[in-house]
Amino acid sequence: MAAFVEIQGFFQIRRQHLPLAGGARLRQVAVRASNSAAAVAPAPVVVSDGAASERTVVRLGLPSKGRMAEETLNLLKNCQLTVRQVNPRQYVADIPQLSNLEVWFQRPKDIVRKLHAGDLDLGIVGLDTFSEYGQENEDLIIVHNELKYGDCRLSIAIPMYGIFENINSLQDLAQMPHWTEERPLRVATGFTCLGPRFMKEKGMKHVSFSTADGALEAAPAMGISDAILDLVSSGTTLRENNLKEIDGGVVLESQAVLVASKKSLIQRSGVLDITHEILERLEAHLRAAVQFTVTANMRGSNAEQVAEKIHSQPSLAGLQGPTISPVYCKRDGKVSIDYYAIIICVPQKALYKSVQQLRSIGGSGVLVSPLTYIFEEETPRWRNLLSELGL
Ligand SMILES: Nc1ncnc2c1ncn2[C@@H]1O[C@H](COP(=O)(O)OP(=O)(O)OP(=O)(O)O)[C@@H](O)[C@H]1O
Ligand SMILES: O=P(O)(O)OC[C@H]1O[C@H](OP(=O)(O)OP(=O)(O)O)[C@H](O)[C@@H]1O
Ligand SMILES: [Mg+2]
């Protein structure tokens, strides 16, 4: 049991959300890089930490390592918010497009803790981490709930062999006669808040949790636990360790989310504006990333007639409707309009169906290009955020 710490009375587990709060601290803060060549490599200096409310710069926490680190930087880059990091071991960086913003690289769970402590204002983490370390926390708020990467699920898994061979659902597991008060079902997990809560909700009796960081899939084979509760994506790690998921055993579906401290949004100058800009850029990029722009030529006697043909096809409606422009052809020295160029946006998934529908109504010369951004008049998430903040 060397790597595991038994948690007593699991329904009483309460995580310390505030390991950093309070007390004067000394902290390393790097001087922010300016555009001048001399300042390219900021020298770390030690400064004393002032009270959180005195801070005027806005802070965004990003995963410092692991699965989400690279994709988070890629997402921001795709939103024209490239993070400028002087070297990979330096934990502070900036985004030249956003003045008055510091980026701090932290472990995902520490991002959530530091949001609560007021040391960060915004952060990007997996929903699993946010839920585990921040769910009971009324100050924390999800600003964007689907950043479309880091997809995984928090799921219960049991061995494929032995007494579990014919156990395929949470109900089967609960009904096994093996679990008693003296000998409960032992579950190894890093999610000691979500796990017990889930089991309680499902009415599972006689369960105990032990905690471990990483390589949890080894625990059943080592005899340390009967089951595990861990993140699953492709399922390869489970399979390679002779484990299986069970029906009804998914605790949470997760992906990357943008989160914030409500207190910061409301009280700290500049946080709301920066959040609005980041949110708008994220939404514009994520909306565009699943669409194509399609242009085609269509024969027709006037624009309205062409529009009607397009609207008759279910996959060609576009975002608001087609843009239709006359194509001026010169034939025998005379200019005439026999064709119209149409522009529509189509979901990437529906591209081929859309091309077929365009052809069926006389479309030709179909050109397809990627879309970079779609800015709507106002993002629904922004409106929701303001209303949740009571603004
Ligand atoms: N197999 C996976 N596929 C997709 N996303 C995953 C997978 N495993 C984890 N994630 C997502 O990536 C996040 C970070 O996971 P990662 O393993 O990099 O860090 P961690 O194990 O939480 O951190 P630490 O090692 O500091 O404890 C998770 O919170 C989850 O949202
Ligand atoms: O279903 P799969 O695609 O096989 O992914 C699942 C694995 O990914 C995560 O671990 P990770 O690789 O991040 O290592 P860690 O345990 O060190 O965090 C998770 O803890 C699983 O072990
Ligand atoms: Mg991991």
Side-chain angles (χ1 to χ4, degrees):
M1 297 289 288
F4 284 66
V5 179
E6 279 294 339
I7 296 171
Q8 305 290 318
F10 69 83
F11 290 135
Q12 277 81 52
I13 294 168
R14 281 288 172 272
R15 211 169 262 288
Q16 271 299 110
H17 282 298
L18 276 167
L20 301 167
R25 286 165 286 159
L26 282 181
R27 163 179 303 177
Q28 272 220 324
V29 175
V31 178
R32 282 163 61 76
S34 80
N35 288 333
S36 83
V40 163
V45 291
V46 177
V47 296
S48 81
D49 196 11
S53 57
E54 288 166 19
R55 170 161 63 80
T56 54
V57 70
V58 177
R59 289 179 177 169
L60 167 68
L62 299 182
S64 53
K65 63 174 184 66
R67 290 177 174 268
M68 292 194 50
E70 195 181 333
E71 283 190 84
T72 302
L73 294 180
N74 285 342
L75 172 71
L76 291 170
K77 192 173 168 190
N78 288 333
C79 298
Q80 307 293 319
L81 294 176
T82 301
V83 176
R84 184 170 58 175
Q85 191 179 11
V86 175
N87 72 61
R89 297 300 300 170
Q90 194 167 66
Y91 292 123
V92 66
D94 69 359
I95 297 179
Q97 290 285 327
L98 298 174
S99 54
N100 199 37
L101 178 89
E102 276 173 3
V103 169
W104 286 91
F105 291 102
Q106 294 287 295
R107 292 193 317 169
K109 60 183 100 168
D110 290 332
I111 291 176
V112 181
R113 289 172 177 149
K114 286 178 174 152
L115 280 169
H116 178 73
D119 291 321
L120 289 172
D121 306 309
L122 290 157
I124 293 181
V125 292
L127 180 63
D128 53 288
T129 306
F130 180 75
S131 305
E132 174 67 16
Y133 296 92
Q135 201 165 62
E136 282 163 21
N137 192 322
E138 295 204 335
D139 179 50
L140 301 183
I141 188 167
I142 297 179
V143 178
H144 197 302
N145 61 334
E146 39 182 3
L147 299 179
K148 304 285 184 196
Y149 66 98
D151 295 279
C152 55
R153 53 193 179 274
L154 180 61
S155 187
I156 296 168
I158 55 174
M160 293 174 181
Y161 48 85
I163 56 168
F164 297 101
E165 196 176 344
N166 297 314
I167 303 298
N168 294 307
S169 68
L170 190 62
Q171 204 182 358
D172 293 347
L173 187 62
Q175 284 168 356
M176 287 174 77
H178 302 73
W179 323 128
T180 63
E181 205 167 327
E182 295 74 44
R183 175 59 176 89
L185 172 79
R186 298 164 309 156
V187 182
T189 189
F191 293 83
T192 52
C193 190
L194 294 177
R197 185 188 304 167
F198 178 80
M199 290 299 203
K200 191 178 177 190
E201 273 166 21
K202 297 290 170 187
M204 286 278 291
K205 290 197 189 104
H206 310 313
V207 186
S208 74
F209 284 85
S210 56
T211 186
D213 287 330
L216 279 176
E217 290 84 354
M222 292 175 79
I224 293 166
S225 76
D226 304 301
I228 64 166
L229 172 64
D230 197 12
L231 299 172
V232 182
S233 175
S234 64
T236 310
T237 315
L238 289 184
R239 260 194 318 281
E240 294 299 322
N241 289 283
N242 292 317
L243 299 172
K244 62 182 177 190
E245 290 181 271
I246 50 176
D247 286 346
V250 175
V251 174
L252 181 91
E253 297 278 355
S254 179
Q255 61 176 290
V257 293
L258 171 67
V259 295
S261 150
K262 279 189 196 170
K263 210 159 134 197
S264 290
L265 285 166
I266 294 168
Q267 294 177 2
R268 194 182 301 288
S269 152
V271 178
L272 204 57
D273 284 346
I274 282 185
T275 305
H276 189 206
E277 180 165 349
I278 294 175
L279 185 57
E280 284 233 86
R281 287 171 178 268
L282 286 170
E283 295 240 32
H285 162 67
L286 292 170
R287 199 175 289 132
V290 291
Q291 302 267 337
F292 281 129
T293 307
V294 173
T295 63
N297 283 343
M298 299 237 342
R299 199 176 260 286
S301 50
N302 59 57
E304 283 74 18
Q305 186 207 29
V306 172
E308 267 176 26
K309 276 199 219 168
I310 291 170
H311 279 297
S312 73
Q313 300 298 316
S315 296
L316 303 182
L319 291 179
Q320 263 147 352
T323 304
I324 302 178
S325 330
V327 177
Y328 296 91
C329 304
K330 195 169 180 185
R331 229 175 264 138
D332 304 328
K334 222 176 112 200
V335 172
S336 66
I337 302 168
D338 300 324
Y339 284 95
Y340 287 82
I342 62 133
I343 306 176
I344 51 173
C345 291
V346 303
Q348 291 190 356
K349 280 186 189 156
L351 177 66
Y352 193 66
K353 207 191 302 161
S354 307
V355 172
Q356 283 175 317
Q357 289 179 11
L358 265 176
R359 283 181 176 152
S360 76
I361 53 169
S364 61
V366 181
L367 305 180
V368 181
S369 351
L371 256 167
T372 314
Y373 300 106
I374 300 175
F375 284 99
E376 296 282 13
E377 273 172 41
E378 192 186 18
T379 76
R381 286 189 179 87
W382 174 244
R383 221 174 304 126
N384 292 345
L385 180 66
L386 292 183
S387 92
E388 280 201 51
L389 295 174
L391 298 173

